[in-house]
Amino acid sequence: MVRQIIHIDEEKCNGCGICATACHEGAIDIVDGKAKLTREHFCDGFGDCLPECPTGAISFEDREAPAYDEAAVAAAKQEREAARKSQQNLSIDDMDGEDAFRQAMALSFVSGVPGARPTGCPGSMLRNLEAERAGRGQNVSNRQEETPSSAASYIPSELNNWPVQIKLLPERAPFYQGAHLLIAADCTAYAYGNFHQKFVKDHVVLIGCPKLDDVDYTDKLMHIIRDNDIQSISLVRMQVPCCGGLQRAAEMALRESGKDMPLTITIVTPDGHLL
């Protein structure tokens, strides 16, 4: 049947996930960092998601699509509510092995918020890790690291935000406000041994590789810098030609944002020295 249904422009979509939250029917997921209408028969065509989109990526269109299945939507909501209640009664931290894996898969259909609906890969969900650690009153380590034999050598993570990949990060997020940005090439954290203490600490981290991603990060970085209260930018790149693309993108993004702020550039050699 031909009916009104939403259309998502992937070029404009920044993967923030706001539309997925606004869709009470659960028709939208975040897939590979982009919003997707994955269940057309869940979309009622009313467009609750449309006014919530910060980039204007959602519009209406009339096209051939399956009819809205109210019964299927209701059943899916019941399943999500059951999964949410299961989450409240059973913590993954109390499990091991296969049980933890099964529970994690079940929880991939809820965001942890009452009444939540599917949002795709839970690993792409925005997280303020600094706030989570503060809420637990500790700098959290995993079980193996907490054993007496290894506790003395444990080095805590300084990472404060998740996700970190430039392709997955939204253009707006609460952890950007008042932030010092670290834009880093993927390889730098492996090449430089003291990466967390030297660079990650007290920064919001954005990592990428223009050669592997085969994209120009300029536009997204420009929006992040322009549309948030960013205080400074540090860029860490490798001493290889392809990393020049990351540096050029950061420099151009800052210039196009119209903002005036410090941009420091550090180059790491393949054997782990700083230039």
Side-chain angles (χ1 to χ4, degrees):
M1 64 179 294
V2 176
R3 68 181 182 94
Q4 180 172 276
I5 196 167
I6 67 162
H7 169 74
I8 302 173
D9 186 335
E10 290 191 17
E11 292 297 317
K12 293 181 179 179
C13 176
N14 65 8
C16 68
I18 296 175
C19 60
T21 301
C23 178
H24 303 296
E25 285 71 31
I28 302 173
D29 287 341
I30 305 301
V31 181
D32 295 330
K34 297 286 185 178
K36 304 276 190 183
L37 180 59
T38 54
R39 287 168 289 276
E40 293 185 346
H41 61 300
F42 279 27
C43 178
D44 58 12
F46 292 157
D48 287 347
C49 55
L50 191 149
E52 302 298 330
C53 179
T55 65
I58 302 176
S59 59
F60 288 120
E61 63 177 350
D62 291 317
R63 63 171 174 83
E64 188 73 30
Y68 172 61
D69 191 337
E70 186 175 1
V73 170
K77 285 182 178 179
Q78 289 181 349
E79 290 179 7
R80 293 195 298 272
E81 180 63 16
R84 184 185 67 81
K85 290 180 179 179
S86 175
Q87 180 189 27
Q88 291 176 337
N89 296 328
L90 188 59
S91 171
I92 291 178
D93 291 336
D94 294 329
M95 303 182 208
D96 292 298
E98 277 190 82
D99 289 337
F101 176 80
R102 290 194 186 104
Q103 182 70 354
M105 291 302 99
L107 296 181
S108 68
F109 293 97
V110 295
S111 69
V113 178
R117 3 81 32 252
T119 57
C121 174
S124 299
M125 188 184 300
L126 292 184
R127 296 177 63 183
N128 186 330
L129 303 179
E130 182 180 25
E132 291 180 21
R133 287 193 289 265
R136 289 191 288 261
Q138 58 182 341
N139 202 338
V140 178
S141 57
N142 66 37
R143 292 180 180 179
Q144 182 179 3
E145 290 162 336
E146 288 174 345
T147 60
S149 62
S150 60
S153 61
Y154 170 63
I155 300 175
S157 171
E158 297 291 348
L159 188 64
N160 293 323
N161 62 284
W162 188 265
V164 294
Q165 288 284 348
I166 296 173
K167 289 177 66 175
L168 298 179
L169 279 158
E171 293 176 1
R172 292 187 179 91
F175 49 63
Y176 290 137
Q177 302 311 310
H180 298 275
L181 293 189
L182 169 64
I183 302 172
D186 292 30
C187 300
T188 54
Y190 295 94
Y192 186 70
N194 197 31
F195 190 80
H196 271 243
Q197 286 293 324
K198 177 74 174 178
F199 298 112
V200 176
K201 188 174 183 179
D202 300 324
H203 285 75
V204 168
V205 178
L206 301 83
I207 67 171
C209 175
K211 184 173 184 178
L212 295 180
D213 286 343
D214 194 25
V215 295
D216 183 354
Y217 299 125
T218 302
D219 187 64
K220 189 166 195 178
L221 291 176
M222 184 276 290
H223 283 285
I224 290 173
I225 297 168
R226 187 193 68 186
D227 299 338
N228 298 280
D229 180 25
I230 305 301
Q231 300 299 302
S232 69
I233 306 170
S234 299
L235 183 133
V236 183
R237 52 161 291 190
M238 295 297 298
Q239 189 190 24
V240 293
C242 58
C243 262
L246 186 63
Q247 179 175 336
R248 286 191 294 274
E251 291 172 334
M252 189 174 296
L254 177 57
R255 188 161 54 248
E256 293 182 359
S257 74
K259 291 189 173 181
D260 182 17
M261 69 182 67
L263 169 61
T264 61
I265 298 171
T266 304
I267 300 176
V268 181
T269 66
D271 61 347
H273 295 288
L274 303 183
L275 295 181

